[in-house]
Amino acid sequence: MVDQAGSPRGQEQEAAGQPARAPRKGLKEKREAIQRGARTVFGREGYTRASIDAIAAEAGVSTRTIYNHFTDKEELFGSVFLESTASVTAASLELLDRHLRKLRRVEDVEADFLAYARDWVDQGAAHPDHFALVRQIVTEGSRMPAAVIDEWQRTGPQAVRGNLARRLRELADAGLVDIAAGAEAAAARHLSLLVGGVMLETYFGALPMSADEVEEYVRSAVWAFLKLYGVPGGGAGE
């Protein structure tokens, strides 16, 4: 029985004038330590090479403690990767909301797309542990749990791109970009590839570019996007 107030044994202790024991503490902290350690080891070693022993050592816990929280390495990887994905997706959607909502109230479309693109590529530096995990997909995606990779795609890249498509539709309806009805998904994909190409060329942060190189890349990406979808008088689309 658990010795805590509210449990039968705890109530007996209180009735006898004995203080009931406090609930066990530290379970949440240990789980978080395990997840931090797992993020580091999976990002460094990849999914296949990462071992529960290495994760336990990184987290400062025993392997038994890990198995008290997670059934196996697959469940641990899924927990770590999808929780990280949720955090990065939330940050990406906040960027979209902040920049593209402002874009509807200004006249310099190119300048505001540039501001958005700069913050977009800065996501790599803001979430290095997450993109270290994403980088592992390039080399061993076929050996990772398929269900986890599918869920990452759905809740990460696809969710952000879908929201971007809706925002671009709003901008098109406001006359700020020229996107045919039904073509907003393609436009979102193009913008993602053009600006997100920084991540691909740096192998998700493994080979970082200089600030000047990133700026040149961002400018050329926005220029190309607005050549495709800009409107007269809006900047690069002229």
Side-chain angles (χ1 to χ4, degrees):
M1 294 184 182
V2 179
D3 293 338
Q4 61 183 50
S7 70
R9 186 171 176 181
Q11 291 170 351
E12 290 172 5
Q13 288 178 319
E14 289 180 343
Q18 301 175 9
R21 293 182 185 176
R24 289 178 62 192
K25 294 182 178 179
L27 292 179
K28 181 175 182 289
E29 288 79 3
K30 283 191 176 181
R31 186 180 181 90
E32 290 173 347
I34 292 167
Q35 290 178 308
R36 285 194 302 271
R39 261 193 304 274
T40 298
V41 174
F42 283 130
R44 183 180 66 224
E45 305 292 339
Y47 177 73
T48 304
R49 292 187 300 277
S51 68
I52 292 296
D53 285 342
I55 293 169
E58 185 71 33
V61 301
S62 67
T63 56
R64 181 177 179 180
T65 298
I66 292 180
Y67 287 119
N68 283 341
H69 289 268
F70 301 95
T71 303
D72 52 25
K73 185 170 78 170
E74 179 175 330
E75 183 187 2
L76 176 55
F77 176 73
S79 172
V80 166
F81 193 26
L82 296 180
E83 182 178 290
S84 177
T85 297
S87 177
V88 174
T89 296
S92 298
L93 296 182
E94 190 277 329
L95 280 181
L96 270 170
D97 185 64
R98 175 156 44 91
H99 283 284
L100 298 193
R101 177 184 294 174
K102 181 180 72 171
L103 185 59
R104 287 182 289 172
R105 299 197 301 269
V106 300
E107 296 180 357
D108 194 340
V109 173
E110 183 177 10
D112 283 283
F113 265 111
L114 280 169
Y116 170 57
R118 290 185 187 111
D119 279 354
W120 184 344
V121 300
D122 282 348
Q123 290 274 75
H127 305 279
D129 290 346
H130 174 74
F131 288 105
L133 295 173
V134 174
R135 186 162 61 242
Q136 300 300 335
I137 297 174
V138 177
T139 57
E140 58 170 331
S142 63
R143 295 189 291 275
M144 292 177 170
V148 173
I149 301 304
D150 289 346
E151 187 66 5
W152 162 68
Q153 288 271 26
R154 187 184 71 81
T155 61
Q158 291 174 4
V160 174
R161 200 161 56 240
N163 194 280
L164 175 58
R166 289 190 290 274
R167 295 293 187 178
L168 291 176
R169 180 74 266 146
E170 292 172 1
L171 296 179
D173 291 343
L176 293 169
V177 290
D178 183 12
I179 300 173
E184 55 272 9
R189 188 176 299 110
H190 292 154
L191 184 57
S192 298
L193 289 170
L194 286 166
V195 178
V198 170
M199 298 299 287
L200 297 176
E201 292 209 11
T202 62
Y203 294 93
F204 298 96
L207 301 172
M209 292 180 177
S210 69
D212 287 343
E213 289 174 321
V214 171
E215 178 65 15
E216 182 181 355
Y217 198 107
V218 165
R219 285 184 173 278
S220 65
V222 170
W223 178 87
F225 179 77
L226 291 178
K227 288 297 281 186
L228 287 170
Y229 299 106
V231 297
E238 295 183 69

